[in-house]
Amino acid sequence: MYSFLFYLILEVLGWMFLILSFSVIVIYMIMMVLSSLEMRDYLRKNQFADYGDIITSPIAPGVSILAPAFNEGQNIVQNVKSLLSLHYGRFEVIVINDGSKDDTLAKLIEPFELVKTDFAYFPEIETQPVRGVYKSSNMSFRRLIVIDKENGGKADALNTGINIANMEILACIDVDCILASDSISRMIRPFMEETNRKVIAVGGVIGIANNCDVQDGTVTTYRVPESVLGKFQVVEYFRAFLMGRMAWSRINGLMLISGAFGFFRTDIVRKVGGYFPKTVGEDMELIVRMRRYMYEEKIAYKVAFVPDLLCWTEVPESEDVLSRQRNRWMRGTIETLQLHKALKLNPKYGTIGTLSYPFWNVFEKNGPILEVTGLIYTLVLIFIGDFSAIYFMALLVMMYLLSLLVSAFSVLYEQIAFNHYKDKKDLRRLIWMIITEPLVVHPKVVWWGLKGHWDFIKGKGGWGSMIRKGFKTAEDKKNLSTQSNT
Amino acid sequence: MKKILIIEDDLLISSLVQFRLKKDGYETHLVKDGNEGIKAIEDLNPDLIITDVMMPFRSGIEIIHHAKKSKPDTPIIVLSSLGEEEEVVLEAFNLGVSDFVPKPFNPNELAIRVKRVLS
Amino acid sequence: MKKTLLLFYFLGIFLVVPKVLAQEISIPKDPKDFRTFLQIQKEVPGLGYRLLIPDSSIDSTLLAELDLQIIPTDSGQLSGVKENFELFGLLPNDSLGFQVIYTVFEQATADSAAQEYLANLVRNGDFVPRTEIQKPQNDLVALAIHSPYIPVFGNKYTFTADIKLFIVTSVIFTFFIFAFGMFVYMLVLRAKKNRKEELEAEYDQMIVDPLTSILFDKSLEEIKQMKMEELNSFFPNELVIKPIYREVLIDRIIGLNKKMKGDFKDKLKTLYHKLGLAKVSVDKIKLRSSSKWHIVADGLVEINEMDLVEFVPEVKKLTNSSNFHVRSLAVAAMLNLSQKSDLSFLRDQTYPLSDWQQMNYLRIIKFVSQSKELKIEMLFESQNPSIRSFGLKLVRMLGRVDLLEKLSQIAPKLGDEEKVEVLKVYREFGAHMEVDFVNDCLRSSNKELMTQAIKAARVVGNEQSVEILESLLLNENDFHIKMLILKSIHELNDDKFQELTIRNTDSSLFKMRKHILDPKLSHV
């Protein structure tokens, strides 16, 4: 009887992995095709776009840049200065000091001649208490607003900024990001172009600034980082942004906009109640909730994506920091999918319910688990000497080849579309990275993902159980008191 | 013979300018970006610099800064598609450039201004 | 390429893996075959036989050799119970007249019973029959292939095992075909792009010198008089017919045209015509295939930049194109090139106007309106609400105070969205005579319209507006609107403002008061 069960499980798993690997290949092929079509169209359209007018035009929308800062004392002044020098007409920079333990606020007060004001605003979204709203007494810094508040995490800081923002568009960025001077103009264009659909959010590409030369807020010379993890992330970012997000944006199925550089329509963000501070994946969760809201309200909409490289950031090259980042991403993904279970395969939610959600569920969330099971399965087959072990070894080899293909394609893609890494040596390094990555770095990423799953399971009770239950509608978040301590 | 350094990223514009100035009997040198420009200022020791404001690698402002520091007596003519009231152009004037020629321009007009600045 | 070879190597391996042999062993029914079958088995537990030799005239030495323990009987000589079937092979041949009597557990049975007994053993798995022996010592693999397939439980999964193989191979096949296609595609694309860039750089060098010398050495008249042969000495004909060369030439002339002034512009334009480039441009915009929209768009840009006024009728046909970019560029070109102040091409557009288009048109209209008075009022008659709104915006942005009267006539009949634009105009121009309209809008249930009216009242309002604002304030819950109302009251009637904010103990009103009175916040 036991042996019967054992073989039955083997058989079922076998089928599952066959179907899975088949779909992985088909999905990636479709994604490659979609992304290249999207890229072609984008490059063509961009040829005819004149960004010169947008800075001075009275028709261009106003932008509130929200930059949360926590213990950023060291570079905050320089960072704020470069934000203020962005080329755009109507914009404000809202820096939110999220209860820093260091001198972040003090550092800002003197150079920007800040004074506390009687700024009146309506705390539409519940946040940690605000200690003060500062503005400059010098007209040349009139665009700057600094909010000082009690610590409440990044999402909470952004929510405070959303409450205070005065403009139609919100730009949520990391304060230490390097932004190209024309970044706002380029990101605003999708908002201005659509007529039959409302553009609710625009995502951008994040470039890796490690080891590059930076001048006047733009990267002038690109170099691939020295460390293995740094190089890995270059390839990974190409894959994620140039392939993945381009493809998803083609079918309007984007589920994630990078938290370090994302633009949103203020009214919609306010309508859904802003960020949800009780999840670690607040950037993904907000987009999913906004999209859900649009479906529930039955308004035609779009989440757009701009593939130009306009924002750069230093990525962690230490294994320790990276592992925590990946762990957090995994938990964020699981939590978002849990919170929005209602989307799962629900045709009411269009592309995102029928395609994006299942994709994230199978490949992003359960990817590491499936990979490890697949490996164990093959090992068991080899161990019991089952003939079909050969098939699965073949499939494993093919998955490796597929990953080579996808990565190579993304790099080639970058070469054709942008060609930032001009040095041939860099290209060789990236190719070497592509070949070794599935064997050297990928197992680590899988392991960090599994740890994320484990940490999610451990975090029971309190918000954990709320997250497990999920939101009934997109507007549910507004009815929750997220500041109470549970 | 007077030496003129032309810093301009648009090849056609710079060769037009060069062609016109050669006709007036000047020795001209072309460079196409800011980095080369700064090097050329040091190496060539030109009598006049004609530069664009917006260029790859280094802005015209940086070049003007540099030139005013290392060769304070060399006159500079700025050639730019930006309007005269733009901040960058005002900044250039503040740094002490001799003349400003807005694009679109007429090379003959530029030649006259060069003659005036050099005399 | 090496990688691809490696891939094919792997593929090869999977294709040559032999099919698993799976067969049902059946017990032969024919006595002779059954004997041969048993001979191969050597021994079968419980199954034996006796030999009956009817003729006693057999060579007794042979019988002794076989150790048959012969017992003579009536019908002949009967051997003892034997279990070694290999003996069948040693018996000389049938002509001897041996008769085989099978025994099961030493009891003689009929042939069919023995066969059934053996079949039972096989079915229960108690006995595994061998198949033919073929020099096992030489070829172990062959032996393995011919050894019978042993299903773990029955033959339930033998078929699926084959399907798996099928799926794996097809997955691999699809993958390789796709991967190969992708690689070729990318390589071709890259090669094409590189080639094009090389050519462009090369042609660029070839174009710079002749273009410069023509522009300086020849007067406009001379260029106009130039014969084709003369022109070809600067720009060789065999090059001009090459599309890439032509594109580079067009690019260069347009680039120069943008940055040049005076007679240089005319010279460039003449050259553009003489070299047949104008024809190239207009041929581009005659393409009708929707996938070639970017070429049409290119053509429109060229016509616009080079002021090719003669193609205005062609351009006009494209102003209502279904492609966003073509339509936008066509309208932009029309605005630039059209000699008339007629805006009918814009009025008759059926597609909604995006902010992006409005922004571009506004810039051109601002520029063009310096030289000719545009009939903006035509846009008010459009069937398309977004065009009507745009017309109203233009009144405000171009400062067309002369159109105020016209606005005042049409305003009450407009939709809410357009009323919003009208209010913005009144606010911008400080149109005090329109205060009644503003006050009407203050009472609107449309939030957007009301908000805009509150802002307009700040500039053009009267005492009646203050009264309406006060009543609005008391009934309004929205923080942002309340703030706007207070600001307007503050501008119109400071006493009222003081009275409302000080008297009222509502803390949010007091906060707003402080905000409005804070000088540092006045330019937010």
Side-chain angles (χ1 to χ4, degrees):
Chain A
M1 190 60 202
Y2 280 116
S3 77
F4 176 77
L5 247 181
F6 175 72
Y7 284 104
L8 189 71
I9 290 172
L10 274 196
E11 192 64 27
V12 169
L13 281 180
W15 275 104
M16 199 185 80
F17 287 120
L18 272 183
I19 293 168
L20 207 65
S21 43
F22 184 73
S23 43
V24 166
I25 287 168
V26 171
I27 288 172
Y28 273 99
M29 285 171 187
I30 295 174
M31 279 171 79
M32 280 187 216
V33 173
L34 286 179
S35 61
S36 62
L37 288 176
E38 183 71 4
M39 180 67 92
R40 185 197 68 185
D41 282 3
Y42 181 80
L43 291 177
R44 270 185 192 166
K45 282 180 195 165
N46 221 10
Q47 248 182 298
F48 302 106
D50 188 350
Y51 292 98
D53 298 338
I54 200 168
I55 296 171
T56 50
S57 182
I59 290 171
V63 178
S64 294
I65 300 178
L66 305 184
F70 179 70
N71 293 350
E72 299 275 355
Q74 215 167 9
N75 295 317
I76 189 80
V77 176
Q78 191 48 46
N79 291 337
V80 172
K81 270 191 182 151
S82 57
L83 284 180
L84 287 171
S85 67
L86 289 174
H87 291 183
Y88 196 69
R90 211 153 57 85
F91 77 103
E92 60 181 3
V93 176
I94 303 178
V95 177
I96 306 120
N97 175 35
D98 189 26
S100 295
K101 306 268 186 297
D102 69 352
D103 54 351
T104 305
L105 182 66
K107 277 264 175 67
L108 285 170
I109 287 181
E110 200 214 343
F112 296 108
E113 302 163 49
L114 295 179
V115 279
K116 207 165 177 171
T117 63
D118 293 317
F119 200 104
Y121 68 96
F122 178 61
E124 199 173 337
I125 307 167
E126 196 188 8
T127 63
Q128 290 290 327
V130 171
R131 294 190 282 228
V133 178
Y134 295 78
K135 285 215 50 145
S136 175
S137 46
N138 182 340
M139 265 301 277
S140 37
F141 303 124
R142 65 188 182 283
R143 291 189 161 130
L144 180 64
I145 297 176
V146 176
I147 304 171
D148 184 32
K149 67 179 277 286
E150 304 283 343
N151 181 268
K154 191 179 167 192
D156 191 64
L158 285 166
N159 280 342
T160 319
I162 294 168
N163 281 335
I164 285 183
N166 295 301
M167 307 290 190
E168 300 97 295
I169 305 290
L170 294 173
C172 299
I173 62 149
D174 281 355
V175 76
D176 54 354
C177 270
I178 303 162
L179 294 185
S181 57
D182 58 346
S183 50
I184 302 183
S185 328
R186 285 183 178 253
M187 296 293 283
I188 285 303
R189 181 171 150 218
F191 286 112
M192 296 181 68
E193 245 180 25
E194 283 289 336
T195 48
N196 42 8
R197 287 187 289 186
K198 202 175 175 121
V199 174
I200 57 169
V202 177
V205 181
I206 312 284
I208 292 179
N210 307 41
N211 207 12
C212 296
D213 291 346
V214 179
Q215 211 165 38
D216 298 333
T218 350
V219 173
T220 46
T221 314
Y222 287 84
R223 252 177 261 109
V224 169
E226 296 293 334
S227 73
V228 173
L229 289 180
K231 274 182 279 192
F232 155 70
Q233 286 176 88
V234 170
V235 176
E236 193 193 26
Y237 274 50
F238 283 173
R239 265 196 321 243
F241 288 110
L242 296 181
M243 273 256 324
R245 299 211 187 154
M246 279 311 263
W248 282 113
S249 106
R250 178 104 189 155
I251 55 168
N252 193 17
L254 271 179
M255 284 262 276
L256 174 60
I257 278 182
S258 195
F261 188 52
F263 286 59
F264 306 89
R265 215 176 258 282
T266 314
D267 52 345
I268 308 286
V269 173
R270 284 195 181 138
K271 274 195 184 121
V272 299
Y275 285 94
F276 181 54
K278 295 298 171 186
T279 167
V280 285
E282 74 280 340
D283 39 5
M284 180 178 179
E285 202 277 331
L286 177 66
I287 280 292
V288 175
R289 191 144 37 83
M290 284 170 77
R291 301 193 69 139
R292 200 174 156 182
Y293 172 81
M294 299 307 277
Y295 279 115
E296 280 161 10
E297 296 292 307
K298 300 197 172 59
I299 310 170
Y301 79 98
K302 188 185 169 171
V303 174
F305 181 72
V306 173
D308 295 319
L309 192 39
L310 302 167
C311 171
W312 296 265
T313 190
E314 293 266 341
V315 296
E317 288 188 69
S318 97
E319 192 156 336
D320 189 41
V321 184
L322 191 65
S323 81
R324 267 181 282 139
Q325 184 199 47
R326 294 310 153 104
N327 184 315
R328 209 169 52 240
W329 285 6
M330 179 52 85
R331 274 182 293 142
T333 306
I334 302 173
E335 288 178 0
T336 306
L337 294 179
Q338 283 287 341
L339 279 167
H340 298 284
K341 277 189 295 215
L343 300 181
K344 196 191 283 179
L345 293 174
N346 189 343
K348 188 182 139 196
Y349 295 106
T351 340
I352 160 161
T354 49
L355 292 174
S356 308
Y357 190 100
F359 176 86
W360 275 79
N361 204 3
V362 175
F363 295 103
E364 300 287 339
K365 179 184 155 194
N366 291 320
I369 296 179
L370 291 173
E371 273 183 55
V372 171
T373 345
L375 201 68
I376 294 174
Y377 177 73
T378 312
L379 288 178
V380 168
L381 286 186
I382 295 171
F383 183 74
I384 64 168
D386 191 308
F387 187 77
S388 48
I390 287 193
Y391 304 157
F392 290 96
M393 278 151 69
L395 282 180
L396 278 183
V397 172
M398 214 180 52
M399 285 297 138
Y400 170 72
L401 294 176
L402 179 71
S403 97
L404 287 193
L405 182 75
V406 172
S407 308
F409 189 75
S410 318
V411 170
L412 215 59
Y413 219 74
E414 196 271 347
Q415 287 268 303
I416 288 175
F418 303 113
N419 197 14
H420 287 312
Y421 294 90
K422 296 220 164 53
D423 197 339
K424 283 268 175 283
K425 213 167 69 197
D426 276 342
L427 200 64
R428 275 204 298 278
R429 283 166 154 186
L430 286 182
I431 291 171
W432 180 240
M433 191 66 232
I434 290 173
I435 297 170
T436 53
E437 183 224 316
L439 308 170
V440 180
V441 189
H442 188 69
K444 286 183 191 163
V445 178
V446 170
W447 175 240
W448 297 330
L450 288 177
K451 273 191 20 218
H453 269 275
W454 178 241
D455 288 350
F456 173 74
I457 295 165
K458 272 198 310 189
K460 284 177 187 147
W463 287 100
S465 67
M466 197 271 120
I467 287 171
R468 255 169 268 261
K469 234 169 51 212
F471 287 135
K472 280 196 202 64
T473 70
E475 287 178 283
D476 241 15
K477 191 250 155 196
K478 284 204 288 195
N479 310 324
L480 289 174
S481 165
T482 46
Q483 294 308 318
S484 55
N485 294 313
T486 40
Chain B
M1 208 199 301
K2 299 263 184 171
K3 260 192 287 187
I4 301 178
L5 173 65
I6 304 163
I7 313 172
E8 163 70 60
D9 58 331
D10 187 328
L11 177 72
L12 202 53
I13 296 279
S14 54
S15 54
L16 266 176
V17 172
Q18 187 181 32
F19 192 93
R20 182 67 189 77
L21 294 179
K22 267 188 184 154
K23 245 169 63 172
D24 286 359
Y26 300 108
E27 182 188 334
T28 52
H29 293 269
L30 275 188
V31 293
K32 58 180 186 309
D33 66 52
N35 285 342
E36 282 182 47
I38 284 182
K39 227 177 109 229
I41 292 172
E42 292 305 314
D43 300 348
L44 289 170
N45 202 8
D47 298 298
L48 171 71
I49 301 166
I50 299 177
T51 180
D52 195 351
V53 182
M54 296 210 280
M55 266 180 308
F57 300 123
R58 271 164 203 248
S59 69
I61 295 296
E62 264 182 273
I63 293 171
I64 299 165
H65 260 295
H66 181 93
K68 280 293 158 196
K69 215 184 284 168
S70 82
K71 307 267 168 5
D73 300 329
T74 313
I76 300 172
I77 294 180
V78 173
L79 191 62
S80 171
S81 43
L82 294 172
E84 216 155 332
E85 64 280 4
E86 293 265 354
E87 262 174 70
V88 198
V89 178
L90 293 176
E91 197 183 337
F93 271 117
N94 271 337
L95 289 170
V97 301
S98 316
D99 207 344
F100 172 79
V101 179
K103 288 180 199 164
F105 73 105
N106 187 330
N108 296 328
E109 178 195 331
L110 178 72
I112 295 166
R113 290 186 191 233
V114 167
K115 199 182 258 172
R116 203 187 61 207
V117 169
L118 281 176
S119 60
Chain C
M1 219 50 226
K2 263 188 206 159
K3 246 182 259 162
T4 327
L5 283 178
L6 195 70
L7 301 188
F8 279 108
Y9 173 70
F10 276 108
L11 181 64
I13 289 184
F14 301 127
L15 288 180
V16 295
V17 167
K19 191 173 169 328
V20 174
L21 291 173
Q23 65 190 79
E24 170 99 18
I25 300 290
S26 62
I27 311 296
K29 292 277 184 269
D30 179 67
K32 212 163 139 194
D33 290 347
F34 187 52
R35 250 154 67 190
T36 329
F37 178 77
L38 286 175
Q39 188 188 337
I40 294 164
Q41 307 310 321
K42 291 182 186 157
E43 270 183 32
V44 177
L47 189 68
Y49 61 94
R50 291 175 161 205
L51 287 175
L52 182 66
I53 310 156
D55 193 352
S56 53
S57 66
I58 281 177
D59 184 357
S60 55
T61 51
L62 174 69
L63 294 179
E65 214 173 281
L66 291 174
D67 186 24
L68 290 174
Q69 299 147 341
I70 302 285
I71 309 160
T73 58
D74 297 346
S75 43
Q77 308 190 57
L78 187 67
S79 72
V81 176
K82 293 267 138 202
E83 297 199 324
N84 183 357
F85 295 109
E86 272 179 304
L87 283 179
F88 286 166
L90 297 175
L91 294 172
N93 55 44
D94 264 359
S95 64
L96 276 175
F98 283 103
Q99 194 186 334
V100 179
I101 300 161
Y102 293 101
T103 61
V104 174
F105 299 114
E106 314 218 335
Q107 296 296 313
T109 56
D111 284 12
S112 59
Q115 282 164 355
E116 199 164 314
Y117 170 71
L118 182 54
N120 253 332
L121 284 186
V122 172
R123 205 172 310 119
N124 296 337
D126 292 333
F127 179 71
V128 181
R130 295 164 207 250
T131 48
E132 264 161 290
I133 312 156
Q134 280 188 347
K135 302 177 193 147
Q137 63 274 31
N138 292 340
D139 195 346
L140 276 174
V141 176
L143 177 65
I145 290 169
H146 287 278
S147 69
Y149 171 71
I150 314 156
V152 180
F153 11 75
N155 61 336
K156 227 154 104 196
Y157 299 121
T158 48
F159 179 65
T160 53
D162 265 2
I163 287 247
K164 269 187 206 164
L165 179 69
F166 174 71
I167 293 180
V168 171
T169 358
S170 54
V171 166
I172 292 170
F173 251 125
T174 335
F175 173 76
F176 278 112
I177 290 169
F178 184 76
F180 185 73
M182 227 52 196
F183 260 101
V184 170
Y185 171 70
M186 295 301 280
L187 289 178
V188 167
L189 212 68
R190 220 173 114 90
K192 249 168 115 179
K193 199 184 166 207
N194 285 349
R195 174 84 190 126
K196 201 175 161 212
E197 272 168 11
E198 270 168 36
L199 273 179
E200 275 172 0
E202 191 191 322
Y203 290 154
D204 215 14
Q205 289 295 336
M206 291 164 72
I207 287 169
V208 168
D209 286 339
L211 202 54
T212 327
S213 57
I214 284 195
L215 287 178
F216 281 111
D217 296 345
K218 306 277 185 216
S219 70
L220 181 59
E221 273 315 300
E222 278 173 313
I223 295 176
K224 277 186 180 161
Q225 301 302 319
M226 264 175 150
K227 294 250 161 42
M228 207 55 210
E229 302 88 73
E230 206 181 336
L231 211 52
N232 282 345
S233 65
F234 290 96
F235 306 102
N237 193 40
E238 66 268 25
L239 283 176
V240 178
I241 53 170
K242 284 188 182 161
I244 296 183
Y245 182 87
R246 267 200 321 242
E247 285 308 307
V248 178
L249 199 55
I250 288 178
D251 244 32
R252 274 0 205 124
I253 294 182
I254 287 179
L256 271 184
N257 190 50
K258 259 190 218 170
K259 290 171 183 168
M260 291 288 139
K261 244 182 8 192
D263 59 338
F264 280 90
K265 248 188 155 77
D266 296 327
K267 285 181 191 171
L268 287 167
K269 203 174 159 181
T270 317
L271 270 178
Y272 201 83
H273 276 285
K274 284 237 153 186
L275 287 165
L277 301 176
K279 171 105 180 35
V280 174
S281 298
V282 78
D283 283 346
K284 285 183 187 168
I285 72 166
K286 281 178 183 161
L287 290 172
R288 283 293 171 268
S289 155
S290 64
S291 63
K292 300 246 168 66
W293 68 265
H294 59 285
I295 299 177
V296 179
D298 265 336
L300 286 169
V301 170
E302 288 155 19
I303 289 174
N304 193 357
E305 289 291 343
M306 294 310 295
D307 295 319
L308 305 178
V309 206
E310 61 272 35
F311 301 132
V312 164
E314 288 295 329
V315 175
K316 193 170 177 179
K317 284 181 203 158
L318 295 171
T319 50
N320 209 18
S321 156
S322 61
N323 183 293
F324 175 87
H325 302 275
V326 169
R327 177 165 92 227
S328 311
L329 289 166
V331 171
M334 281 302 288
L335 288 171
N336 261 335
L337 302 180
S338 173
Q339 305 296 316
K340 294 176 280 181
S341 50
D342 177 31
L343 286 177
S344 58
F345 58 89
L346 194 55
R347 179 194 63 196
D348 299 337
Q349 236 194 65
T350 48
Y351 295 93
L353 216 52
S354 73
D355 286 352
W356 187 261
Q357 289 166 314
Q358 296 188 18
M359 181 179 85
N360 286 326
Y361 301 166
L362 173 67
R363 176 189 42 124
I364 301 170
I365 291 174
K366 260 187 184 163
F367 178 77
V368 174
S369 63
Q370 292 166 0
S371 54
K372 61 185 172 201
E373 190 89 330
L374 291 170
K375 286 191 185 139
I376 290 168
E377 59 272 27
M378 285 182 88
L379 301 181
F380 303 159
E381 298 151 20
S382 171
Q383 299 296 310
N384 181 339
S386 67
I387 302 268
R388 291 199 299 270
S389 289
F390 180 58
L392 295 166
K393 267 185 212 165
L394 284 176
V395 173
R396 170 165 56 101
M397 288 162 181
L398 298 174
R400 291 287 293 270
V401 189
D402 58 308
L403 289 173
L404 265 180
E405 209 170 317
K406 171 97 185 163
L407 279 195
S408 135
Q409 281 168 22
I410 59 167
K413 285 167 272 170
L414 292 172
D416 282 355
E417 248 169 78
E418 292 140 56
K419 278 186 181 165
V420 167
E421 289 302 330
V422 174
L423 285 171
K424 284 186 186 164
V425 175
Y426 290 166
R427 184 174 132 209
E428 183 87 10
F429 293 168
H432 288 279
M433 57 286 189
E434 301 299 338
V435 65
D436 292 337
F437 177 74
V438 176
N439 289 345
D440 276 347
C441 293
L442 275 177
R443 297 197 189 89
S444 166
S445 56
N446 181 323
K447 278 261 145 89
E448 170 85 30
L449 184 58
M450 184 183 77
T451 319
Q452 209 44 248
I454 296 169
K455 286 183 186 167
R458 197 175 303 166
V459 182
V460 303
N462 55 14
E463 276 314 306
Q464 202 200 345
S465 320
V466 178
E467 275 168 39
I468 304 170
L469 285 171
E470 188 184 349
S471 69
L472 280 179
L473 181 70
L474 299 175
N475 298 318
E476 185 56 59
N477 290 320
D478 187 300
F479 180 91
H480 297 103
I481 297 183
K482 269 170 124 175
M483 183 91 155
L484 286 174
I485 299 175
L486 267 191
K487 274 185 187 165
S488 294
I489 297 180
H490 175 62
E491 289 291 326
L492 291 173
N493 185 337
D494 194 44
D495 295 338
K496 195 75 181 177
F497 174 75
Q498 299 293 349
E499 182 197 322
L500 279 170
T501 50
I502 294 210
R503 177 189 68 184
N504 207 317
T505 48
D506 182 342
S507 69
S508 79
L509 277 189
F510 197 70
K511 265 197 219 159
M512 291 182 207
R513 173 196 161 84
K514 278 166 74 186
H515 183 123
I516 292 168
L517 296 177
D518 190 332
K520 292 162 304 258
L521 294 172
S522 58
H523 44 251
V524 168

